[in-house]
Amino acid sequence: MTRRPIEAIPAIDLIDGQCVRLVQGDYSRKTVYGLHPEETAQALEAAGFTRLHVVDLDGARAGHTVNIDVLRRITASTHLRVDFGGGVKTASDVEAILAAGAAQVTIGSLAVTNRTLVAEWVSQYGADRLIIGADVRDGRVSIHGWQEDSTTTLDDLLSYYTSLGVRHFLCTDISRDGMLQGPATPLYQSVMRRYPAIHLIASGGVSCTDDILALEAAGIPAVVFGKAYYEGRIDPEKILRR
């Protein structure tokens, strides 16, 4: 059986309006890769990418969206299909993100701490407008910008939201994020075996083009990457020509 090409999604993480990357979610260990995220987004589009994952790290830490103006500039200056998350806590946040041009809203901590509210959003905005983000450390889902580990397991989260019709999930192995040590492929494979109908976006640890192709061979539908791309370790042509 021929596998579908993996969806390759570059990421822009935002702190103080700048494009950055953290190491294992540690805000004190950041590298700035661009002062103007909209220019970074334009360069990604010129390289052939059609989708972009944007994380408002300021928002994740503050508990409310912060970089909505950056999102607006990105969507106004590119044709990229953008999903945006970080600090989403209210319906007003969701509506502001969608109004700023995002195609989807990524819900992280709130998907753990207030399932009832997020379930209402699934009904109100549609399951395909939401991505449930699961940031995993030692089998548990972390919340509040990776600063706190919850008691919720990854399987518990997936089971609940798939029962509501959600099929878009972003899973980040925090221990690998920003480390360039390769993705947690066995974790993602186990998720796909249990939930074969979901559109799983693997995140964390991608170090090179071959890592992405290996995830494709393993049957993972999509992958997010950042640091490896910005440091010249990923060949867009080799991925996108597929």
Side-chain angles (χ1 to χ4, degrees):
M1 181 179 68
T2 302
R3 295 194 184 278
R4 294 182 61 184
I6 193 168
E7 185 178 21
I9 309 170
I12 289 179
D13 292 356
L14 300 171
I15 291 180
D16 296 331
Q18 301 175 340
C19 178
V20 308
R21 293 300 291 179
L22 305 182
V23 175
Q24 296 180 322
D26 187 344
Y27 282 74
S28 69
R29 302 166 67 190
K30 73 175 182 181
T31 302
V32 176
Y33 286 104
L35 299 179
H36 303 288
E38 64 273 23
E39 294 179 1
T40 301
Q42 291 164 11
L44 290 167
E45 184 176 41
F49 295 105
T50 60
R51 184 169 172 183
L52 178 66
H53 175 63
V54 180
V55 182
D56 185 353
L57 290 175
D58 290 318
R61 184 160 54 176
H64 57 85
T65 54
V66 173
N67 286 292
I68 197 76
D69 287 341
V70 177
L71 169 64
R72 193 175 290 111
R73 291 199 301 270
I74 289 173
T75 59
S77 61
T78 73
H79 294 92
L80 293 167
R81 184 171 179 267
V82 180
D83 66 81
F84 183 94
V88 179
K89 292 291 184 289
T90 67
S92 295
D93 289 332
V94 175
E95 290 164 7
I97 291 167
L98 295 176
Q104 292 176 298
V105 181
T106 303
I107 311 296
S109 298
L110 202 69
V112 175
T113 61
N114 196 336
R115 293 184 179 188
T116 300
L117 179 59
V118 176
E120 291 175 2
W121 292 352
V122 172
S123 176
Q124 181 177 356
Y125 301 107
D128 282 341
R129 300 303 298 273
L130 302 181
I131 299 172
I132 301 300
D135 302 323
V136 181
R137 179 162 39 212
D138 299 326
R140 304 285 179 177
V141 180
S142 293
I143 56 177
H144 304 317
W146 301 355
Q147 304 302 299
E148 179 183 340
D149 292 333
S150 74
T151 59
T152 300
T153 65
L154 176 60
D155 186 64
D156 182 35
L157 194 76
L158 292 167
S159 177
Y160 176 76
Y161 285 103
T162 54
S163 74
L164 299 180
V166 176
R167 68 183 192 94
H168 298 278
F169 294 88
L170 172 73
C171 183
T172 302
D173 184 333
I174 295 173
S175 68
R176 295 174 181 260
D177 190 71
M179 298 298 288
L180 299 177
Q181 294 179 349
T185 304
L187 171 65
Y188 307 131
Q189 286 180 303
S190 69
V191 169
M192 291 307 301
R193 282 194 295 268
R194 185 164 173 79
Y195 302 95
I198 71 172
H199 187 76
L200 178 67
I201 306 170
S203 173
V206 172
S207 67
C208 62
T209 302
D210 286 346
D211 282 345
I212 295 174
L213 299 180
L215 285 169
E216 179 181 87
I220 310 306
V223 59
V224 160
F225 48 86
K227 185 174 184 178
Y229 180 81
Y230 297 125
E231 296 195 356
R233 294 167 172 255
I234 291 176
D235 180 355
E237 183 179 353
K238 189 173 181 180
I239 299 168
L240 296 174
R241 72 186 179 195
R242 303 171 65 82

